[in-house]
Amino acid sequence: MGRRHAVVLVFAPNRTGEQFVQALSDGDKSFAVMACSSAEQLYLDKLGLKSIVQVNIKEKSLMLPPENEYSK
């Protein structure tokens, strides 16, 4: 099995975060965006982001297990 590359996990709850995500998208960076609600996930989908990790903050759990390893 080949070595997996860690990706950056980004929480972008405001305009500045969105700009950061856009900068990552424009570059050649591997990243995923964290969504803390269904509405946030829909919004991130509309932005065209493909790698979204949905987190339930109240339950402190991941809705779906991540497919990647994340860097610090």
Side-chain angles (χ1 to χ4, degrees):
M1 181 182 285
R3 184 173 182 197
R4 297 171 77 184
H5 295 283
V7 299
V8 176
L9 180 61
V10 178
F11 178 57
N14 55 33
R15 183 68 185 135
T16 302
E18 289 177 28
Q19 291 170 343
F20 180 67
V21 168
Q22 185 62 45
L24 290 173
S25 295
D26 292 343
D28 190 22
K29 305 293 182 198
S30 295
F31 71 97
V33 181
M34 184 169 59
C36 297
S37 69
S38 297
E40 190 172 22
Q41 181 166 357
L42 288 173
Y43 179 73
L44 294 170
D45 283 335
K46 287 181 182 178
L47 291 178
L49 299 170
K50 302 295 181 209
S51 187
I52 300 171
V53 176
Q54 190 171 6
V55 178
N56 183 333
I57 292 177
K58 291 180 184 177
E59 298 294 325
K60 297 180 183 175
S61 65
L62 295 170
M63 301 299 283
L64 295 172
E67 296 177 9
N68 298 305
E69 295 177 20
Y70 298 99
S71 61
K72 292 183 180 181

